[in-house]
Amino acid sequence: MQRYSAPLLLVIAGALLVYGAKAEWLSLYVLSVLMFMGVNVILATSLNLVNGSMGEFSCGHAGFMCVGAYTASILGVLLFSGHKSFGEAWLPAELAVWGFPLLILAGGVTAALAGLAVAIPSYRTRGDYLAIITLAANYIILSVVENLDIIGGSRGFMGMKKIVNGMEETLEVPWLPLWVFVFTVFTVWLLRRYLSSTYGKGVMAICQDEVAAEIMSVNTDRIKTVTFMLSSGLAGIAGGLFAFILGYVNPGSFNILKSTEVLVMVYLGGMGSLSGAVLAAIFFTLLLESFRFVIPWLNTLVHQLSLVPESYEVSQVWKWVLIPLLLIIVMQFRPEGIMGNRELGDLFPKLKRFYRFK
Amino acid sequence: MTKTQPETTTAPVLEITGLTRQFGGLRAVADFHERLAPNELVGLIGPNGAGKTTVFNLVSGFYQPSSGAIKVNGVDTKGLKPHRITALGVARTFQNIRLWNELTVLDNIRVARHGKLGYGFFHAVTRSRTYHEREHEIEREARELLEVFQLDRHADELPKNLPYGTQRRLEIARALAGKPKLLLLDEPAAGLNSVDIQELIRLVRWIHTHFDVTIWMIEHHMDVMMELCQRIKVIDFGETIAAGTPEEIRNHPAVISAYLGDDKI
Ligand SMILES: Nc1ncnc2c1ncn2[C@@H]1O[C@H](COP(=O)(O)OP(=O)(O)OP(=O)(O)O)[C@@H](O)[C@H]1O
Ligand SMILES: [Mg+2]
């Protein structure tokens, strides 16, 4: 019972998702919100691994997301749909159904390698320096993409919609929501396994006392590298999914604001709490979505009151105000986040009798 | 190993020659020598700031020597990262307890097995057979160790919630988790009351007879050192000023003047 309840529940949820999408009682809008929720869960839990569990401060998560997004997109277009700069597709479009998860994984692997490149110079530095290095990495990645004209530069890169449509033509299944669901579950499950092993507990040991960890035989450089690569790899997976959900990518989607969004989710959930990060990501997605309804109304209001110039559009700036503000509010009033560093199972010990998710 | 070498049983566990460590203009440790044979129980004493902890920090690789050499089981530790030195068989406790306070007591012991884990990332996330076998054994040994140290009933508690004396005991247990050949104890009696100190003396003696381990300890409580150590070395301002049996050290004029202050100055 305890052993099978979680997988069973997930299978039911997955089936409901597929059925709901096919029967169209989940509208396209609801599906897209659910998918962004999944992407946010992946982003929040993976950043939480570094910032919460390991106690380092990485703040360029969107950079790795960008690497994953572009890798999966370019590879997908190259293989399955063809592109004006790359020519014909290399493989028949029907194969995309099988190739899709591999595209996303390829994005994850490339992002993990980018993570490795960032992790190595950070060995000698501590604390705030990792923040600066990751911030710099975020900017470097964006400028590289912006200056590569072959993939569209700052205008962005397109062609992924065609692949998704192709997949659904080949086999009539809501592929994208399904894969987002699978990768989200995969991420949480992977992190859970990692952190509950003695090997992964080295991550927490580093967070609590790095000197003691190193002297008590933990290879701290190795653990930091593995952890950082895992974190950025998962961000890459989120990026790949994000690109296919939107159907196009441009460097602007992966700027420092996106990184801040992920930070807010992590701090909202509670440092080092995996279930906290999941809950915060869900909550945050819904919050931002609900603001979408309020903003047009707010826009009319400020214009009618002549508080801002005519040309000013609230919708373009509200995120820049709201998200950092949210971060400040969380820090001020609940610095330990929703969950602190505890898990659901610690708060409700009785729950542990009913599920096991490792 | 060739036959011409001295018997492995008498080969030193630790051999320090001409060890010096400079902090700016301060010579914290100067031309220090030590040779620890297997199963010895040796003391290192000296007034505050004499350089005792610095010696331990050099041995465990936390600091690099300015000059001199340290060999653990015949291996020169120059340039090795601390976890590599630990893997050679050195374990230690800290003057100010350094447990992982948000990991359970059991996990503190388990993580200290990192050097001999026998599996890595992929085994951990795929939960391979190797993973299960190794984790099973690590947990069993960790629980055994906790039982031996009478910590088993605290297995699921956090160290920060334990009494001070119990934390000290846990730190020693954690140091032994990796089955070291050499155990460095930095002021294990600091902050303990007299009852706990008597218990500590029994514990150290018990470890010394039941674990195949050489013990080198720093301690300010002279009665602890007199009772436990086979021989003691005294340092002051980084320099070795005396060495001998506890009896010799107790009556050594240089030691008395170092501790009580020199009248001539
Ligand atoms: N990292 C460091 N940088 C500068 N000076 C240091 C450093 N570590 C130790 N020292 C200095 O080296 C000297 C020896 O310090 P050490 O901690 O080894 O003394 P100790 O013998 O352990 O003293 P106590 O009995 O108080 O623990 C002290 O003067 C100390 O200030
Ligand atoms: Mg000291």
Side-chain angles (χ1 to χ4, degrees):
Chain A
M1 160 72 193
Q2 184 205 25
R3 189 162 175 184
Y4 298 109
S5 63
L8 195 68
L9 225 79
L10 288 169
V11 169
I12 294 175
L16 274 179
L17 184 71
V18 173
Y19 183 77
K22 280 190 95 161
E24 285 179 14
W25 48 258
L26 288 177
S27 69
L28 283 181
Y29 173 70
V30 172
L31 277 178
S32 83
V33 173
L34 286 176
M35 285 193 283
F36 283 121
M37 207 178 263
V39 168
N40 280 342
V41 167
I42 301 177
L43 288 172
T45 50
S46 58
L47 184 67
N48 182 50
L49 176 66
V50 169
N51 288 28
S53 305
M54 198 156 71
E56 300 275 354
F57 191 79
S58 162
C59 55
H61 217 47
F64 302 113
M65 198 185 164
C66 180
V67 173
Y70 271 89
T71 308
S73 305
I74 295 168
L75 207 60
V77 166
L78 208 62
L79 294 178
F80 302 117
S81 83
H83 185 261
K84 60 179 188 318
S85 355
F86 310 144
E88 288 293 293
W90 296 1
L91 296 174
E94 296 77 54
L95 281 184
V97 171
W98 312 108
F100 182 76
L102 298 178
L103 294 179
I104 301 295
L105 286 176
V109 170
T110 330
L113 292 176
L116 177 65
V118 176
I120 288 171
S122 72
Y123 287 160
R124 289 166 194 282
T125 59
R126 299 231 357 105
D128 301 342
Y129 288 100
L130 185 70
I132 295 166
I133 291 177
T134 48
L135 194 61
N138 198 160
Y139 276 110
I140 292 170
I141 290 166
L142 290 195
S143 343
V144 168
V145 174
E146 271 165 11
N147 289 296
L148 279 178
D149 264 338
I150 186 163
I151 52 170
S154 53
R155 280 165 289 125
F157 185 80
M158 274 194 275
M160 288 80 86
K161 263 268 141 43
K162 210 171 130 192
I163 300 173
V164 176
N165 292 341
M167 282 162 68
E168 274 164 16
E169 270 164 34
T170 314
L171 208 66
E172 215 180 302
V173 173
W175 284 112
L176 207 47
L178 186 62
W179 278 118
V180 173
F181 180 72
V182 168
F183 276 108
T184 308
V185 173
F186 169 75
T187 299
V188 178
W189 173 84
L190 192 72
L191 289 171
R192 185 97 176 109
R193 284 197 156 185
Y194 181 48
L195 290 174
S196 63
S197 70
T198 300
Y199 183 78
K201 282 192 173 129
V203 174
M204 276 86 98
I206 289 174
C207 174
Q208 291 161 34
D209 190 331
E210 187 172 344
V211 169
E214 175 72 33
I215 285 182
M216 299 314 303
S217 83
V218 178
N219 186 345
T220 53
D221 280 354
R222 161 85 56 86
I223 295 286
K224 282 183 184 174
T225 311
V226 168
T227 306
F228 201 74
M229 284 179 74
L230 178 60
S231 170
S232 35
L234 291 171
I237 286 180
L241 294 169
F242 181 80
F244 278 88
I245 298 171
L246 283 183
Y248 80 100
V249 279
N250 69 331
S253 324
F254 308 105
N255 58 13
I256 197 71
L257 182 64
K258 189 78 197 174
S259 295
T260 315
E261 259 181 48
V262 189
L263 277 176
V264 173
M265 287 187 256
V266 171
Y267 287 92
L268 196 63
M271 303 295 275
S273 168
L274 193 54
S275 33
V278 174
L279 290 178
I282 294 172
F283 172 74
F284 186 83
T285 316
L286 294 176
L287 184 75
L288 279 204
E289 221 35 61
S290 65
F291 267 92
R292 256 185 241 287
F293 294 108
V294 182
I295 293 304
W297 175 82
L298 192 69
N299 197 32
T300 333
L301 185 76
V302 290
H303 280 109
Q304 271 174 3
L305 296 177
S306 305
L307 287 175
V308 290
E310 274 301 310
S311 58
Y312 192 89
E313 284 288 330
V314 175
S315 62
Q316 280 165 18
V317 286
W318 66 279
K319 266 188 162 187
W320 287 94
V321 177
L322 179 78
I323 290 167
L325 193 66
L326 204 58
L327 188 56
I328 294 170
I329 292 173
V330 172
M331 288 298 181
Q332 186 66 38
F333 294 104
R334 199 168 163 86
E336 74 275 24
I338 301 173
M339 303 281 287
N341 63 357
R342 290 159 303 180
E343 296 296 340
L344 265 187
D346 303 331
L347 286 187
F348 305 104
K350 282 185 184 156
L351 265 182
K352 280 189 187 166
R353 265 189 272 155
F354 298 110
Y355 78 92
R356 202 178 71 179
F357 188 58
K358 280 182 194 172
Chain B
M1 295 286 153
T2 50
K3 287 265 162 62
T4 49
Q5 281 188 333
E7 275 183 56
T8 37
T9 46
T10 57
V13 173
L14 178 71
E15 196 170 17
I16 300 178
T17 43
L19 185 66
T20 300
R21 171 70 211 212
Q22 200 94 23
F23 289 115
L26 176 80
R27 269 157 82 92
V29 176
D31 195 28
F32 184 85
H33 292 258
E34 185 58 274
R35 191 190 144 97
L36 302 181
N39 283 310
E40 272 196 296
L41 205 174
V42 178
L44 179 63
I45 63 172
N48 287 110
K52 307 178 295 294
T53 300
T54 306
V55 171
F56 277 17
N57 283 341
L58 288 161
V59 172
S60 52
F62 184 53
Y63 293 151
Q64 290 298 314
S66 304
S67 63
I70 302 168
K71 281 187 177 174
V72 174
N73 288 317
V75 180
D76 194 336
T77 65
K78 189 170 165 42
L80 292 185
K81 292 212 66 195
H83 76 268
R84 302 268 300 122
I85 296 175
T86 308
L88 293 174
V90 184
R92 68 173 288 185
T93 63
F94 298 88
Q95 189 167 343
N96 314 308
I97 302 175
R98 298 186 86 148
L99 291 162
W100 299 300
N101 275 319
E102 303 288 337
L103 288 179
T104 63
V105 166
L106 182 66
D107 283 343
N108 266 269
I109 305 284
R110 292 207 294 184
V111 171
R113 291 293 305 271
H114 244 249
K116 293 177 177 155
L117 219 46
Y119 74 86
F121 177 79
F122 285 100
H123 287 293
V125 296
T126 55
R127 296 281 142 118
S128 67
R129 187 148 158 199
T130 316
Y131 168 85
H132 284 294
E133 281 168 10
R134 292 296 303 138
E135 283 282 336
H136 192 72
E137 188 184 325
I138 288 164
E139 167 145 6
R140 184 176 54 75
E141 287 183 355
R143 287 195 186 275
E144 270 172 25
L145 194 64
L146 286 181
E147 205 172 307
V148 160
F149 279 81
Q150 292 167 8
L151 290 162
D152 41 335
R153 66 202 170 89
H154 301 298
D156 298 322
E157 290 176 50
L158 298 182
K160 63 180 178 188
N161 299 333
L162 298 176
Y164 195 75
T166 315
Q167 291 189 25
R168 283 257 176 233
R169 203 159 41 159
L170 173 58
E171 212 194 16
I172 297 174
R174 183 182 68 170
L176 288 168
K179 300 179 184 161
K181 288 282 166 224
L182 172 64
L183 176 63
L184 310 176
L185 300 174
D186 194 347
E187 301 199 22
L192 299 188
N193 61 35
S194 52
V195 179
D196 283 346
I197 288 183
Q198 289 314 309
E199 199 182 312
L200 177 83
I201 292 175
R202 278 198 299 277
L203 182 68
V204 173
R205 188 170 289 137
W206 187 86
I207 292 169
H208 188 229
T209 46
H210 287 83
F211 286 75
D212 179 25
V213 68
T214 307
I215 300 177
W216 194 17
M217 65 190 283
I218 298 174
E219 191 44 73
H220 280 298
H221 290 81
M222 289 309 282
D223 40 341
V224 175
M225 299 304 258
M226 294 297 148
E227 193 132 347
L228 285 172
C229 297
Q230 296 157 346
R231 57 188 180 83
I232 294 173
K233 184 159 284 183
V234 190
I235 59 175
D236 191 16
F237 294 112
E239 310 267 354
T240 307
I241 58 171
T245 64
E247 210 42 50
E248 289 163 1
I249 294 300
R250 197 205 295 272
N251 303 313
H252 200 293
V255 179
I256 294 169
S257 76
Y259 270 90
L260 300 179
D262 204 326
D263 296 337
K264 281 174 279 181
I265 298 171

